[in-house]
C-alpha cells in the first residue's frame, strides 16, 4: 500500500545496515527459553538471520513530530523529566518518581488515554558495547534482573541488559490481555474490562539515559508496511520451566518493511512504542503494534559513550 511521508531516496543521515529476523525451524509457535531449558532441549527452535535494510532518520522530517501510535505505531516526543541518573530503581514507583512521570506523559500525549498503569521497566547499561552475538539471543544470556510481578510471589529472572539486536514485538494479543489480570487486582481488572467502549493498549516509553545515543540506536517499523499474518510469528517465552511463560512475536523478514530511527536521540526525548491495542487491526486501519530492534550503526563515533536507556511498559485504558 502507498504510505505518506516515505523518503524517496537515502539521505546522508540514513543508515545502511542489517537487521536480525527469525527463520523458524519448523512448526509454530516458536519457543525461546529465557533460563536453562530441560536437558536435551534447545534454547530456541528458530534461527536469527541478518538481512540488509535502510533505516531512515526522522530528524527534520514530518515524522519527527507527526508520527502517531494509531498510524505508524510509534511516536517521538520531546519530554524532559526530573529523573536524570536512574540509579535507584526502587524509587521509580514512589510517589512523584519516574513511574508517575511516565503516566503523566502518556495521559497528556496518547489520544483517548484515561488511565495508565506501569507494570515493569528495563534498564540497559553497558560499560562497553556488545560484540558477536550479544543481544541477538542465540543462546544463554548475560544478565541483570527483571521483576516480573510486584506481588510477593514475584519471579525474578535473568534478562538481557544489552540492546536487543533482534526484530520483535513485546507482546502478543493474548499475552497483553493476560497482563491486565496479572498486574491489577482481579475485581479491578474485571471492572475495567467490562466498561462500555473500553480500549486497552500497552505502550512502551523508551528514553536514552545520560548521553546522546550513538551506538545501537532503536529502530521502529511503520505498521502500514507490515503484513501481520505473514510477518509475525508467535513465540512462547519460557521464563522458568514449569513456573511461568509469556508470549511475544518474532518477525520474518519482509523487504517491504519501512524502518526509522531518530539520530542522536537525547535524554530529553522519548519514543512511544505501541505493543498491543484491542482496537488495532491487521491492515488498513488503526495500527496494532510496533516492530522494533536495536541496530548496529557503523557511522557512529567509536569513541562515543555506550548506549544507556530505560523502557517503561504501561497498560493504557480509554475508560476508567
Amino acid at each position: 500500500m502507498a504510505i505518506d511521508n516515505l523518503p524517496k531516496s537515502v539521505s546522508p543521515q540514513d543508515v545502511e545496515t542489517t537487521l536480525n529476523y527469525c527463520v523458524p525451524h519448523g512448526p509454530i509457535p516458536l519457543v525461546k527459553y529465557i533460563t536453562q531449558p530441560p536437558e536435551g532441549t534447545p534454547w530456541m527452535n528458530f534461527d536469527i538471520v541478518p538481512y540488509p535494510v535502510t533505516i531512515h532518520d526522522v530528524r527534520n522530517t514530518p515524522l519527527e513530530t507527526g508520527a502517531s501510535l494509531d498510524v505508524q505505531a510509534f511516536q517521538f516526543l520531546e519530554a524532559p523529566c526530573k529523573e536524570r541518573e536512574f540509579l535507584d530503581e526502587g524509587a521509580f514507583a514512589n510517589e512523584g518518581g519516574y513511574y508517575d512521570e511516565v503516566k503523566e506523559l502518556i495521559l497528556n500525549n496518547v489520544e483517548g488515554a484515561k488511565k495508565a498503569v506501569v507494570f515493569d521497566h528495563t534498564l540497559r547499561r553497558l560499560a562497553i558495547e556488545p560484540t558477536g552475538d550479544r543481544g541477538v539471543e542465540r543462546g544463554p544470556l548475560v544478565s541483570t534482573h527483571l521483576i516480573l510481578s510486584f506481588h510477593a510471589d514475584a519471579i525474578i529472572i535473568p534478562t538481557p541488559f544489552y540492546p536487543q539486536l533482534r526484530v520483535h514485538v513485546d507482546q502478543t494479543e493474548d499475552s497483553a490481555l493476560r497482563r491486565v489480570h496479572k498486574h491489577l487486582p482481579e475485581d479491578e481488572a474485571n471492572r475495567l474490562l467490562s466498561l462500555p467502549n473500553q480500549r486497552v493498549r500497552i505502550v512502551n516509553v523508551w528514553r536514552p539515559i545520560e548521553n546522546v545515543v550513538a551506538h545501537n540506536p532503536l529502530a521502529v517499523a511503520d505498521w502500514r508496511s507490515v503484513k501481520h499474518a505473514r510477518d509475525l510469528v508467535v513465540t512462547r517465552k519460557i521464563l522458568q520451566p514449569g513456573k511461568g511463560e509469556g508470549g511475544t512475536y518474532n518477525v520474518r523478514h519482509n523487504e517491504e518493511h519501512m524502518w526509522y530511527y531518530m539520530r542522536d536521540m537525547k535524554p530529553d526525548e522519548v519514543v512511544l512504542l505501541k505493543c498491543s491495542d484491542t482496537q488495532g487491526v491487521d491492515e488498513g486501519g488503526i495500527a496494532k503494534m510496533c516492530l522494533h530492534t536495536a541496530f548496529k550503526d557503523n557511522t557512529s563515533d567509536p569513541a562515543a559513550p555506550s548506549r544507556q536507556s530505560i523502557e517503561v511498559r504501561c497498560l493504557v485504558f480509554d475508560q476508567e
Side-chain angles (χ1 to χ4, degrees), residues 233-253:
V233 187
V234 173
T235 305
R236 294 172 57 206
K237 290 180 66 174
I238 310 298
L239 308 176
Q240 289 182 345
K243 294 186 178 181
E245 67 176 71
T248 65
Y249 280 115
N250 275 289
V251 182
R252 290 188 177 96
H253 176 252

Side-chain angles (χ1 to χ4, degrees), residues 27-44:
I28 295 171
L30 305 182
V31 176
K32 165 66 181 174
Y33 283 88
I34 305 303
T35 55
Q36 184 70 42
E39 186 175 354
T41 301
W43 282 89
M44 51 201 277

Side-chain angles (χ1 to χ4, degrees), residues 109-144:
N109 291 281
V110 176
E111 185 175 358
K114 299 292 193 301
K115 181 180 179 69
V117 177
V118 174
F119 64 83
D120 74 12
H121 73 268
T122 304
L123 275 169
R124 303 187 193 273
R125 281 192 163 108
L126 290 175
I128 58 174
E129 291 305 310
T131 58
D133 283 352
R134 295 297 185 209
V136 182
E137 291 195 12
R138 287 197 173 96
L141 307 176
V142 176
S143 61
T144 180

